[in-house]
Amino acid sequence: MRYWTGALIAFLLAIVQASSVEQFKIMGVSPNLMLVFLVAWLVVRGLDDVLPMILVSGITLGLVGLQSPGVVLLALLPIAGFGVIRELHIIHSDLVLVLFIVFGSTIAYEMVMLLSTMASGGTLDIMTGIESFVIPAAIVNVALAPFVYFFMRFAKPAKRMGQLSF
């Protein structure tokens, strides 16, 4: 049931991201609420809960956002790679972990999208793309992350102290 609920939330949030959030510009870039939400869900719920959500949101953002579905899904995959850091418990503060993963995932996401634009005939000036889009997007998403994480903490599953079944 948790996978269906997560997939439904990811689908609806991807629709909101593609239709409404893209219209807001901060520092010349749109905040990527979907990426920040997936990272917060990863830190709060775990890697096994976020993997189906990455698939659903990547395909939905690709189809509704008029981008190639495979490229958006490929750009969201570093979130799963950063999920290993959560599982290893290297960083013990969840808020610091969210900020770190949002920063790294945003850089990876925007670089994949920039390289996709360059490969499909866009401008070949990578340094201008990094200065104009990648770095500002990382700053905006990191600034958005504490607010999303604050609300995501309420989705934390209850601890099952010794309970083997429901």
Side-chain angles (χ1 to χ4, degrees):
M1 184 66 177
R2 69 183 184 184
Y3 297 122
W4 289 105
T5 304
L8 179 66
I9 292 170
F11 176 76
L12 293 175
L13 195 56
I15 297 289
V16 169
Q17 172 74 32
S19 63
S20 298
V21 177
E22 295 292 327
Q23 297 176 4
F24 296 105
K25 300 284 185 192
I26 303 169
M27 294 177 56
V29 295
S30 298
N32 195 338
L33 183 62
M34 187 75 239
L35 184 134
V36 175
F37 171 76
L38 288 172
V39 169
W41 192 275
L42 168 73
V43 171
V44 170
R45 301 285 299 197
L47 185 59
D48 56 340
D49 276 7
V50 83
L51 287 176
M53 295 175 69
I54 290 173
L55 176 71
V56 169
S57 60
I59 292 172
T60 305
L61 274 175
L63 293 174
V64 176
L66 300 176
Q67 300 165 350
S68 301
V71 174
V72 176
L73 184 58
L74 180 68
L76 287 174
L77 281 181
I79 295 172
F82 283 115
V84 174
I85 294 172
R86 182 217 183 248
E87 300 299 324
L88 292 175
H89 300 289
I90 295 172
I91 301 173
H92 296 289
S93 171
D94 284 347
L95 180 60
V96 173
L97 183 62
V98 165
L99 295 176
F100 174 75
I101 295 175
V102 164
F103 181 77
S105 296
T106 302
I107 295 290
Y109 180 89
E110 294 297 331
M111 285 302 295
V112 168
M113 298 307 280
L114 179 64
L115 293 174
S116 168
T117 302
M118 289 172 52
S120 64
T123 306
L124 297 176
D125 190 10
I126 193 164
M127 289 309 294
T128 303
I130 290 173
E131 292 172 358
S132 301
F133 297 107
V134 177
I135 300 299
I139 293 169
V140 168
N141 287 345
V142 166
L144 181 67
F147 301 106
V148 174
Y149 173 69
F150 173 75
F151 289 110
M152 284 305 301
R153 290 186 323 164
F154 298 117
K156 193 170 206 153
K159 294 209 181 249
R160 296 182 174 186
M161 303 297 277
Q163 183 179 359
L164 299 176
S165 67
F166 60 94

